Structure formats: C-alpha cells, structure tokens
Amino acid sequence: MAKEFLKLVAEFIHERYKDNVEKLCIVLPNKRGALFLKNHLAQTFGKTIWLPTIISAEDLITELSGLKTLEEIDLVCHLYESYKICYGPNAETFDSFAKWGQLILQDFNEIDRYLADSEQLYENLKDIKVIENWSLGEENLSEYQTNYLQFMNSLGAIYKHFSAFLLTNNWGYQGLAYKYAVINQDTNTFVDQFDKLLFCGFNALNAAELKIFYKLFEQKKADLIWDADNYYLKNPNQEAGLFLRNNFDLFKERDPLFIQDNFREKKDIKIISVPKQIGQAQVVKQTLQHFIDQNIPLDRVAVVLANEKLLWPVLQQLPGSIEHVNITMEYPLRYTSTYGFIELLIQLQLNFDKQKKAYKTIYHNDLINLFRQPIFLYYLKARGLDLNLSLIIGQINARNLSFISQKNLQQLLQESYVQVQQLLQPSKSIQELCETIQGVLKTCIVYFSEQQSSNQNNLELEYLQIILKNFNRLNDILIRYPHFNDIQSFKQLYTQVVGNSSAPFIGEPLRGLQIMGVLETRTLDFDHIILVNVNEGVLPSGKTINSFIPNDLKRAFGLPLYLEKDAIYAYHFYRLLQRAKDITITYDSETDTFGKGEKSRFVTQLQLEMKHYNSEITITEEVASYKTFPEELDNTIIIQKNDEVLKSILSKATSSDQYGGLSPSGLISYKECQLKFYFRYSTHLKETKEVEESAEANTFGSILHLSLETLYKDFTGKIITTNDLQEKLKLADVAVQESFISFFDNTEPVGKSILQQEVIKVYVKKLINNDIKFITGLSEENQFLTLNSLEKELSAALELKLKDKTETIYIKGKIDRVDSFGGQIRVIDYKSSVKDTDKFVFDGFEKLFQDKNYNKQFQLFIYAWLLYKNGTPPEKLMPCIVPFKVFLEEPKYVLGANKKPFVFTSQFFDEFETELKLFIASIFDQTLPFIQTDDEKTHEYCPYNVICNFKI
C-alpha cells in the first residue's frame, strides 16, 4: 500500500538529517499538514527529538518581506483613500467604490506575486483603452467614455500611491509581501538560522516563489520534495502536471524526490449522480455508514467538499454514531445564518433612510424574514424572551399590515417590544448601529457558549466570533474614517468585505472523520475519499475571471489566466486520488438551461483514460437510489374513507350554526377535486395567508361586494329610484375608498393598490349606471325595481340516510343580491368575469353535477333552490350572474333549451333535490375514496398543488 506523502517526508528527514533535525525548516503549502507531519516524525524517530521548524509558505514570505499583511477590510479602506487622492474631485462614493475596489486589489496582488512591471503594465493598459475608445467618426468622446478613460489612466497612480503608503507603515497586501520578500531575500537573516530548508508538496509556484526557492536551491540551502505521480507528470497533454513539468525544467533536478506510480495500483472508484445538495449529503451519509459497518477507522476517511455550501447539509446528515468530526476548510461567511441576520438588520436601516416621512415604517417582508432568522430566535432566547413569532406573523398577515409602524410593533410584541426596540427602529448614527449589532453578537456568543456542545452549536459560535471580530474592525474603520458614516456605504463595506470573508476551521487532524475543502487536502493522504459535488463549473470553477486587466495583457506580463487556474485544480484532483484505494465521487445531476448538472470534465477524463492506463482501477457509475424509496412513485393520492376521515366533514354538514353546513363553493370544490375537498374539510389544512400589498383576486372581490353593499343597503325592502341611484353615484368614490382601507388595516392604498381602487370605482359606477338605465326602461312599462335583500344567508335541510342512520344535512349559501320587478325575482351573483367555457344553458343533471364548466350554473341553481325551500314561488325565479370585467348590459341568465330564461317548477326542484342528495351521499360513501383530479387547470390554481403529487 502506498505510503502517505508526509510519511515519506518524515522518513527522508530521518535518513538525511536525523542528527540535526532542529536545524531544519520545513515549508508546506499551508498549515494543515503540520500536525500530520509532526505525528509521522514522532513515529519514524521512535524517540524524543527536537522538532524542526514547520511553517507555511505565507509564513516564510512574511518573515522575508518584513511586512505585516493587513486584513482585507483595512486594505479596501486604505485603497479607497488612494483612489480618492489619485482620481480627484470626481471620485465616486465608497458604496460605489466597494463594488469594484476589490478587483483593483486582486489585480495588484497578481501583479506583485508574479513580479510584473506595474508601471509598464498600466502604461500599456492606458494605451489599449485609448485605442479602444478612439473613433474616426466622432470628434469628442462621450462623458461615459471620458470618465472610463480617466479611471483606467488613474490605476497606475493608485498602485503607486497605495503601495507607497503601505510600505511607509511597514504594511502590505499579500502580493506586495511576495514582491518585497524577493527584494529583501539577500539581506534578510531569517534563513541563516537553519542548515537547510525543505520545500514539501508544492505545485504551482508564482514568479516570486520561484525566484526565492530557486535562489535557495542554487545556494544548496534548500531541498525540493515534490508530490506527484507519473500518470499526469509524464503526459504532456495532462494539465494536472503543467506546473510540475515547468518546475522540473527550471530546477533541472536529475532525480526529483518522491515521483511515484500510485495510479498503477488497484483502486475502486465509484461515481454517483444524484440531484440537489441534500441528495449528495445522503450519499455521504450512506457511504460513511458503510465504512462504519465495515469497521473502517474514520481517521483514514476524508469527506472533501468541492462546493463549500455543502458543509451544513453534510453535517446535518452525518450518521449519529460518528463521535469526532474535524472540519478543516474555509467556509464563506455569506452562507451563514449570522451573516444573513445582520444583512437584514442593515437592510431595515437602509429602508428607514429612504423614507422621507417622520414616522418610519418597516416593510412586512423585511420584518417577517427577520423573525424567521434562526439567530434572531437564539437572540430572543438569550434575552429570556418567549415570543410566539409564528402567531405574530399570522397577526401581520391577518391584519394585512404592508408597512408596520412602531405603534404596530408595540401592539404585536407587547411587553417584549422594549427589549428588541433598538433593532427595529432607526439608528441615530452608523456608529450606534455598529454598536447595536456588536451587542447582539456578544449576547448570542454568551448564549452558545453556555449551551451543550454540539457540532452545530460549535459552528454557530465560530461564525459569531469571526463576524464579531469583523465588526470590531468595522467599528475602528468608522472611527478613523468619518466619510463612511452613511448607511449605503456601511452596507457596501459589510457586503464586500465581511461577505467575502471566510471562517477558517482548523480541526484536530489526527482524530475522527475529516471534512475538508479541496485546497486543504494538499500534502494529506487518506485511504478512503468521498469527493462531493464534482460538477463542471465547481471543480474546476469555470472561466470567469474578474479583472480590469485584459487577458492579452496578462499573458504578455506573465500573469495567470483561467487555463493555469484549471491546471491547479486538476493537480489537486489527481493528487487527492493518487494514494487513495477507495474513492466515491458525487455530482449534482439536477439540470437547467445553463448547463448545471454536468459532471466535471476531470471525472469524464478519469473514466476515459484510466481504463487504458491501468486495468486494475475499476470505475463504476450509478444513479443514487435509496432502499426506502420505491423504484417509481405513483403520483396519485387516494384517501380511503372511514369514520375518522369523514368525522369532521359530517360534523360540519350536520351543524346548523354560523359556520356549519355545506356551501355551494364547498360542493363545487368536491366536484372539481375530491382531494382538495378532503384537505380543506377533513384535515382542515388552511391556505397560506400572506400580507397582500395589493388586493388579490378574493380580496378584490370582497372589496367590490362591500362597496356595493354599503351603497345599496339603504334600499333593502324598498323600490329603487333613479334619483336615489344618482345620489349614490356621487358617493361611490368614498364608499370604495373606505371599503379598501378597511381591508388594509386602515392604511391608505399605495402603488398598485391605487390602480385597483380606481378599477373597483369603475365597476361600481358601471353597475349603478346600468341599474339607472334598467329602472328607466321599467318605468316606461309602468314597472318598478324592488331590492329584496343584499348578502342574505339562506339555509335548507336535507334528510339523508348514511350507514343505516338518517342524518340532517344543511345546505347554506349567501346570495349577493335578490331584487324583483314585474312579478319576476332576480337571484344575482356578482362575478369578476365569465369564461367562454362557462355553460348557462341547462343540459341535464349529469352535466350539472359532473362537468366543471357548469359550476357557475350549479351555484345559481343551489341559490334558486334555497329561495324555493324558503318559500319563494319557483316560477318567479330568474338566477343570473353580473360579470364586471367584461360588463354586460344584461346579466347572464340560466337558459332553457329554447335559449330563453329557464322556467323553474316545483317538480324540477324536487328532481334537483333528489340529485343533490345523491351527490352529497357520494361524499360520505365509504366505498368511494377521495381521489385527486387529473385536470391540469384545476391543479394549477389549487392552493394545495404543492403537496398533492400531481404529475403534469
């Protein structure tokens, strides 16, 4: 079995330098391998020794350069100062600069790491931009072109000013430190304290590293220990060996150390296609459980995440029997709940700042999102507050509070308001806001410190501490630079600097399961690898490189392009696999139009090449499957009826109280989809209620109904005259406005609501004018229009035999309007619109009770039947619909075969009642299950369509 790379290094040290180990300096690509190497040295020497000095490449650069590398937050702020000085009075504000200032810093880093001539490079860049914007057909450049050229021309000056300022204070950014490490190498005495430096496991060296390493190598002051395999090293087409081949050409070593043939050994590689992050986390769980069942030591297993976003899903899916988990990776803070929580607090302040009025309000979505933040919940617990946030969100939705005032907050939070008030009101200054957030973070840190230790709590605590550290730095910046004291600049500072920072987790590598990022695997080897989310665009990350320097200019000055960056990741990929014997690779198979779901080309390359290179390497590919899932899901939901399922439906149907009985809308929902009826009336699943910023369809109709009821209620039981209606026409606008406000918690309409209010006014006035015209026509025939009732609730009982027992079922309905003229009674239902498919000609009971296109007719028939059961002569009834969207001068009446208004009789209603009993009896027939509709349109607009498994 192949020895681990760091074991080989330990044996090399024992063989060559066992008598003066303490005079060695071992330089590793990062700090992660130091503890592993110390452990191997202890095992190899088998006795107490003075350990060599073990440092990372960055540590060496810091020592050689003599510069203190500042944190990014400080660098961005200092860079802004240089930008303002060099660009002049037209310099943009910090919030604008922060969006692209980091690109400048990235360019400076690369220029210096690769020892490019910055003055010549920026002079060439200036010339290129002048040529690009030069046009023979234009006398003058546009203002945009002029500003763009001025900015590009200033980059060289910004570089000079910024680097000079930093050097004056013995500060640097990473690239500047590399550059000065080269400059100071001959005069720096750091390396003199060692007999030898060992550079172990390096691959892609920038120009500064090459110069430093080569000089030490040439002076016989350093040995270079490589970590590579002949498979990718000797094949010139293999990008993984690109840098190593270049390095060997430079160093001209006859026999480079530790070049092996590990890809000639037996390996089992399993490639698993699985959709979504949670699916990949499930594969990790299953694979780890298999290792546990096989008694494989977990310290020989590494879960390597190509996508750092998968850290949380993987942690949450780990088998419960795993005791020790060591996270060795950098996790971006922008993916943490703490970051999102603070972002919402800052957004609240930004929204306050935009409001010109004295009394600031909070947009409901912002407040609800804040309430749903896990860190906010922990903060409440830490403060000893027991708030039912779900109930409060329900109250916000029920009251339709689009914009929430401090008075509303006091009502919602009650006595708890005082303790969270500071978070939910405008801050007097950015300094105060920063201190408030620091206070919240400290409170949460104390809370998590006192909680029982768990992987999740430890991670949250780590995030909180790192973000608090960032806020301490932000506070220093605000004190030092008063021009950052506006909320927009503060938000950009937070987003660009804190949002681009990472939480560095450095675990105890010698114990338990390792969870790592790809870069953290350098110099480390494991027998069993689970490599997760190896998709194209993730590993490698793709061709997007943000920079102000064009690719041609980069190539000319020796700066790396995406090809070089891909080669670096190719090396990491193959190096990780070369000593492992068992490898599981997952990729996300969920596809979209942008090519997501494609496995990495590294994996495809592995599949194509390995079968020719080594037949003992077995590669299998499969689609993830779970034993607990059937091979094919039957999407149809069928609910078998029994007494328990029907209990609440029967209770409602047999109740004559205010909320009892079966309504026409309930019967229509059963007609459309029995599953929907079951969800609503058996399981009582409520439709999700959300704040309506503008009136949704139901609310729009309710406001219209209320407006008409307000205007017409004085006429109930009276003859309506045209003069009365002319007076009501004058009051229409006020009635609609008052009705609208009543639905929005006494808040004036804004935005789209204003337009909707105007539409309702038009609808109301159309109806009044139409009634005026209708009454005028009646008066010419010496007839009158009498308003019998508005929004009248009617009920009628049916005797049904259910399971050898007679039950009294109540049918209830609220009729929008009933009026009469010339011996006829109109039963009017208000609708927003009538579809072309709606049927109004009676065509038999089968269609009436089965076909959804007869739903409006069905509802009108029930209303007519209810009036008949309550004593209205059948032959007088004329049920109809008044549609508002496409207004008709004459309502849509139910028609007979002769296309004239249908004439009702007692015999017809007796037959209708018989059919209605059969229809209702089918609801309670336990031999007939509740089944879901196969109609796509009904499903599309159903409130339960997200849970019903309907397959389109």
Side-chain angles (χ1 to χ4, degrees):
M1 190 176 79
K3 284 184 182 177
E4 296 168 54
F5 171 70
L6 292 177
K7 175 70 172 172
L8 294 170
V9 172
E11 290 177 353
F12 175 81
I13 293 169
H14 182 263
E15 181 185 331
R16 296 272 187 99
Y17 305 105
K18 62 182 175 183
D19 295 327
N20 59 341
V21 178
E22 68 275 11
K23 298 294 283 181
L24 288 180
C25 178
I26 299 166
V27 185
L28 300 174
N30 57 28
K31 297 176 183 177
R32 295 338 191 257
L35 203 56
F36 279 91
L37 180 57
K38 288 175 185 176
N39 186 51
H40 286 305
L41 285 169
Q43 291 175 359
T44 303
F45 277 80
K47 62 179 182 179
T48 303
I49 59 167
W50 289 106
L51 281 172
T53 299
I54 305 174
I55 61 173
S56 68
E58 285 191 13
D59 293 335
L60 176 64
I61 296 303
T62 300
E63 293 289 348
L64 293 178
S65 68
L67 300 178
K68 178 188 175 185
T69 303
L70 296 184
E71 293 178 16
E72 191 168 12
I73 192 167
D74 296 292
L75 290 168
V76 169
C77 292
H78 291 312
L79 182 60
Y80 180 60
E81 292 297 303
S82 295
Y83 158 73
K84 283 202 307 173
I85 291 167
C86 297
Y87 195 76
N90 296 325
E92 296 190 33
T93 57
F94 181 80
D95 62 284
S96 176
F97 167 82
K99 297 170 187 174
W100 40 264
Q102 284 180 312
L103 294 186
I104 301 178
L105 195 56
Q106 285 174 23
D107 286 343
F108 289 178
N109 264 315
E110 282 206 337
I111 288 167
D112 286 347
R113 276 202 303 260
Y114 285 84
L115 306 178
D117 185 333
S118 58
E119 190 168 345
Q120 188 64 47
L121 187 149
Y122 280 117
E123 195 63 38
N124 286 0
L125 179 62
K126 187 194 303 184
D127 294 341
I128 288 169
K129 295 305 172 184
V130 168
I131 292 169
E132 284 179 356
N133 287 277
W134 179 55
S135 173
L136 290 171
E138 295 286 342
E139 291 184 9
N140 298 309
L141 296 176
S142 68
E143 183 182 356
Y144 172 80
Q145 288 173 311
T146 303
N147 291 339
Y148 181 66
L149 277 177
Q150 184 186 352
F151 170 71
M152 285 298 178
N153 291 347
S154 69
L155 285 173
I158 293 169
Y159 172 88
K160 279 185 182 178
H161 185 277
F162 181 54
S163 54
F165 167 77
L166 293 177
L167 289 169
T168 301
N169 292 280
N170 257 8
W171 296 335
Y173 46 88
Q174 190 191 63
L176 195 63
Y178 272 91
K179 178 179 177 179
Y180 272 79
V182 173
I183 292 171
N184 297 338
Q185 185 176 5
D186 290 337
T187 56
N188 190 288
T189 58
F190 173 75
V191 298
D192 295 340
Q193 61 187 298
F194 305 108
D195 289 347
K196 203 85 165 182
L197 282 82
L198 302 183
F199 293 101
C200 306
F202 285 87
N203 168 46
L205 301 174
N206 60 49
E209 287 171 326
L210 277 171
K211 203 155 193 175
I212 293 165
F213 289 14
Y214 185 73
K215 181 166 278 191
L216 290 168
F217 177 74
E218 213 177 23
Q219 293 170 349
K220 303 199 181 302
K221 187 77 178 174
D223 284 336
L224 296 157
I225 301 177
W226 307 102
D227 185 7
D229 194 275
N230 280 321
Y231 163 64
Y232 52 82
L233 189 63
K234 291 188 175 179
N235 182 353
N237 296 319
Q238 249 293 355
E239 57 191 336
L242 173 68
F243 287 100
L244 289 170
R245 289 190 290 272
N246 292 340
N247 293 343
F248 292 170
D249 287 344
L250 174 67
F251 289 98
K252 295 185 170 35
E253 291 181 272
R254 289 183 184 176
D255 187 19
L257 294 168
F258 304 164
I259 308 302
Q260 298 182 322
D261 274 314
N262 290 307
F263 277 105
R264 292 289 184 191
E265 295 182 2
K266 184 178 180 181
K267 297 181 189 298
D268 291 317
I269 302 174
K270 185 187 293 182
I271 299 161
I272 300 177
S273 161
V274 58
K276 298 185 181 289
Q277 293 183 3
I278 192 66
Q280 293 180 84
Q282 279 285 335
V283 172
V284 173
K285 179 181 181 179
Q286 290 180 356
T287 308
L288 289 172
Q289 189 59 54
H290 172 72
F291 292 154
I292 293 167
D293 295 342
Q294 298 294 315
N295 294 319
I296 292 171
L298 290 183
D299 59 357
R300 298 305 309 141
V301 177
V303 177
V304 182
L305 307 180
N307 180 357
E308 62 268 17
K309 285 184 185 179
L310 281 159
L311 177 61
W312 275 108
V314 166
L315 284 175
Q316 289 166 345
Q317 291 292 321
L318 290 179
S321 58
I322 296 180
E323 291 184 29
H324 302 290
V325 178
N326 302 297
I327 303 165
T328 310
M329 63 184 298
E330 296 203 350
Y331 187 72
L333 293 178
R334 65 182 177 276
Y335 299 145
T336 67
S337 57
T338 304
Y339 179 85
F341 168 64
I342 295 171
E343 193 172 38
L344 282 172
L345 291 179
I346 295 172
Q347 187 61 45
L348 285 185
Q349 297 300 321
L350 193 61
N351 291 343
F352 285 143
D353 194 58
K354 289 176 182 176
Q355 296 176 46
K356 305 301 179 189
K357 56 191 177 184
Y359 297 101
K360 314 287 189 181
T361 58
I362 300 175
Y363 183 51
H364 69 278
N365 272 346
D366 290 341
L367 186 64
I368 289 171
N369 288 339
L370 184 69
F371 283 175
R372 287 174 174 161
Q373 272 289 334
I375 296 298
F376 185 68
L377 297 178
Y378 292 130
Y379 176 70
L380 293 178
K381 287 179 183 178
R383 297 292 301 272
L385 301 178
D386 185 22
L387 276 174
N388 188 335
L389 294 180
S390 296
L391 181 63
I392 293 170
I393 292 169
Q395 291 173 346
I396 292 169
N397 292 331
R399 290 174 60 182
N400 236 12
L401 294 169
S402 293
F403 292 91
I404 299 161
S405 65
Q406 292 297 315
K407 184 180 178 182
N408 295 143
L409 281 172
Q410 287 176 319
Q411 294 168 349
L412 293 165
L413 301 174
Q414 297 178 3
E415 63 272 10
S416 301
Y417 170 73
V418 177
Q419 295 195 59
V420 295
Q421 179 182 4
Q422 197 171 12
L423 302 182
L424 304 175
Q425 66 182 11
S427 293
K428 294 173 185 174
S429 66
I430 303 303
Q431 192 76 38
E432 182 185 86
L433 172 62
C434 196
E435 289 169 3
T436 298
I437 293 172
Q438 284 174 300
V440 172
L441 293 171
K442 288 173 184 175
T443 301
C444 290
I445 286 169
V446 171
Y447 173 79
F448 277 105
S449 300
E450 293 171 350
Q451 295 303 301
Q452 188 174 352
S453 179
S454 69
N455 287 326
Q456 185 167 337
N457 284 348
N458 291 342
L459 282 175
E460 288 291 4
L461 184 59
E462 188 87 18
Y463 299 147
L464 285 161
Q465 289 170 335
I466 292 167
I467 291 180
L468 177 61
K469 180 184 173 185
N470 274 280
F471 261 87
N472 293 340
R473 296 295 304 116
L474 278 173
N475 210 15
D476 294 341
I477 295 294
L478 292 173
I479 294 168
R480 197 181 307 158
Y481 303 109
H483 51 262
F484 291 143
N485 274 330
D486 68 86
I487 187 64
Q488 188 63 52
S489 296
F490 183 74
K491 186 186 178 188
Q492 283 301 331
L493 197 64
Y494 176 75
T495 303
Q496 296 297 319
V497 179
V498 182
N500 287 323
S501 299
S502 297
F505 298 111
I506 303 175
E508 165 56 65
L510 303 179
R511 189 179 181 198
L513 175 70
Q514 301 296 313
I515 299 179
M516 321 179 81
V518 174
L519 290 178
E520 285 71 40
T521 63
R522 288 176 290 182
T523 73
L524 303 181
D525 296 294
F526 299 89
D527 295 335
H528 308 275
I529 300 288
I530 307 171
L531 185 52
V532 188
N533 203 184
V534 190
N535 281 72
E536 193 66 22
V538 178
L539 186 71
S541 58
K543 298 182 180 180
T544 305
I545 294 180
N546 295 319
S547 173
F548 288 113
I549 305 170
N551 284 347
D552 289 345
L553 200 56
K554 281 191 168 191
R555 179 65 71 198
F557 280 83
L559 303 183
L561 295 173
Y562 66 85
L563 289 173
E564 283 81 1
K565 295 190 176 181
D566 283 0
I568 291 171
Y569 276 96
Y571 170 77
H572 293 319
F573 176 78
Y574 284 102
R575 200 220 68 79
L576 177 62
L577 306 187
Q578 66 192 29
R579 292 187 183 88
K581 59 182 181 182
D582 175 62
I583 301 139
T584 299
I585 298 172
T586 78
Y587 69 93
D588 187 348
S589 62
E590 187 177 37
T591 57
D592 62 18
T593 52
F594 297 103
K596 184 185 171 187
E598 183 184 353
K599 65 186 171 190
S600 169
R601 65 177 181 272
F602 295 162
V603 178
T604 305
Q605 196 170 293
L606 198 68
Q607 289 175 292
L608 293 173
E609 294 184 1
M610 280 301 160
K611 59 186 176 185
H612 302 296
Y613 188 78
N614 181 6
S615 60
E616 284 198 281
I617 294 180
T618 59
I619 301 179
T620 58
E621 186 168 10
E622 62 185 62
V623 176
S625 61
Y626 304 100
K627 292 176 183 176
T628 53
F629 290 176
E631 287 187 12
E632 186 175 340
L633 283 173
D634 180 5
N635 283 295
T636 304
I637 296 177
I638 296 174
I639 306 297
Q640 297 296 336
K641 295 174 188 172
N642 55 40
D643 290 345
E644 188 62 32
V645 167
L646 295 172
K647 182 179 178 181
S648 59
I649 302 172
L650 184 61
S651 175
K652 177 178 172 59
T654 56
S655 171
S656 60
D657 65 19
Q658 182 182 357
Y659 299 105
L662 297 174
S663 66
S665 61
L667 294 173
I668 286 170
S669 74
Y670 178 76
K671 208 179 130 179
E672 288 182 332
C673 178
Q674 295 171 20
L675 186 65
K676 177 168 74 171
F677 180 85
Y678 163 77
F679 284 148
R680 183 171 289 162
Y681 297 107
S682 178
T683 64
H684 301 291
L685 286 178
K686 294 182 179 178
E687 299 173 28
T688 304
K689 169 70 177 162
E690 294 181 350
V691 171
E692 296 179 23
E693 297 174 52
S694 57
E696 301 296 337
N698 288 344
T699 306
F700 186 93
S702 299
I703 294 169
L704 176 60
H705 279 65
L706 180 58
S707 302
L708 290 170
E709 185 182 6
T710 302
L711 291 165
Y712 276 74
K713 64 184 177 183
D714 295 341
F715 304 144
T716 306
K718 299 177 184 176
I719 293 172
I720 307 175
T721 68
T722 55
N723 288 337
D724 291 336
L725 290 175
Q726 291 290 358
E727 289 301 312
K728 293 297 182 183
L729 204 55
K730 297 174 186 175
L731 301 173
D733 286 358
V734 174
V736 172
Q737 187 174 16
E738 289 177 351
S739 299
F740 216 105
I741 288 173
S742 72
F743 273 85
F744 288 91
D745 203 61
N746 297 317
T747 304
E748 292 287 339
V750 293
K752 184 180 174 184
S753 295
I754 296 172
L755 297 176
Q756 290 178 319
Q757 183 176 263
E758 293 305 311
V759 170
I760 293 175
K761 288 177 183 177
V762 170
Y763 286 176
V764 168
K765 289 174 184 176
K766 275 186 177 181
L767 182 70
I768 295 173
N769 283 318
N770 201 58
D771 280 344
I772 291 171
K773 187 176 179 181
F774 183 60
I775 292 168
T776 301
L778 287 176
S779 64
E780 291 173 1
E781 299 175 13
N782 204 27
Q783 293 181 7
F784 306 96
L785 181 68
T786 301
L787 182 62
N788 297 15
S789 64
L790 283 175
E791 304 292 334
K792 184 169 184 177
E793 291 192 8
L794 292 172
S795 176
L798 290 172
E799 299 295 322
L800 258 70
K801 193 170 184 180
L802 303 175
K803 286 188 72 176
D804 300 325
K805 184 181 177 184
T806 300
E807 300 280 4
T808 302
I809 304 293
Y810 293 94
I811 308 298
K812 290 188 174 185
K814 182 189 281 188
I815 304 172
D816 294 340
R817 170 173 160 177
V818 179
D819 60 27
S820 57
F821 64 92
Q824 299 295 315
I825 297 173
R826 292 195 304 178
V827 185
I828 298 174
D829 189 34
Y830 297 139
K831 297 289 185 191
S832 62
S833 64
V834 171
K835 295 180 286 189
D836 294 338
T837 54
D838 289 326
K839 306 295 183 184
F840 288 92
V841 177
F842 178 66
D843 197 17
F845 288 118
E846 184 179 352
K847 288 185 178 178
L848 185 69
F849 282 88
Q850 301 298 328
D851 192 334
K852 71 169 187 172
N853 293 322
Y854 287 78
N855 282 351
K856 289 186 174 66
Q857 186 182 146
F858 179 69
Q859 186 168 4
L860 290 174
F861 273 36
I862 291 179
Y863 288 157
W865 175 78
L866 285 170
L867 283 164
Y868 165 72
K869 295 291 283 187
N870 282 274
T872 304
E875 63 277 358
K876 291 185 176 184
L877 292 168
M878 294 178 63
C880 59
I881 281 175
V882 173
F884 284 94
K885 194 174 284 185
V886 181
F887 200 83
L888 303 174
E889 289 194 8
E890 188 171 292
K892 293 284 287 185
Y893 290 99
V894 175
L895 306 175
N898 58 2
K899 302 297 174 70
K900 291 182 179 180
F902 188 83
V903 179
F904 291 91
T905 64
S906 297
Q907 182 184 349
F908 174 83
F909 279 130
D910 290 344
E911 292 175 10
F912 175 79
E913 189 171 314
T914 300
E915 295 293 334
L916 184 59
K917 284 181 179 181
L918 291 171
F919 181 74
I920 294 170
S922 71
I923 296 174
F924 298 99
D925 187 345
Q926 296 193 15
T927 65
L928 302 173
F930 289 119
I931 59 173
Q932 68 186 101
T933 183
D934 58 1
D935 181 75
E936 290 184 15
K937 282 291 182 188
T938 300
H939 166 78
E940 184 178 353
Y941 298 107
C942 176
Y944 306 104
N945 58 11
V946 294
I947 60 171
C948 75
N949 267 1
F950 186 89
K951 187 174 182 180
I952 297 178

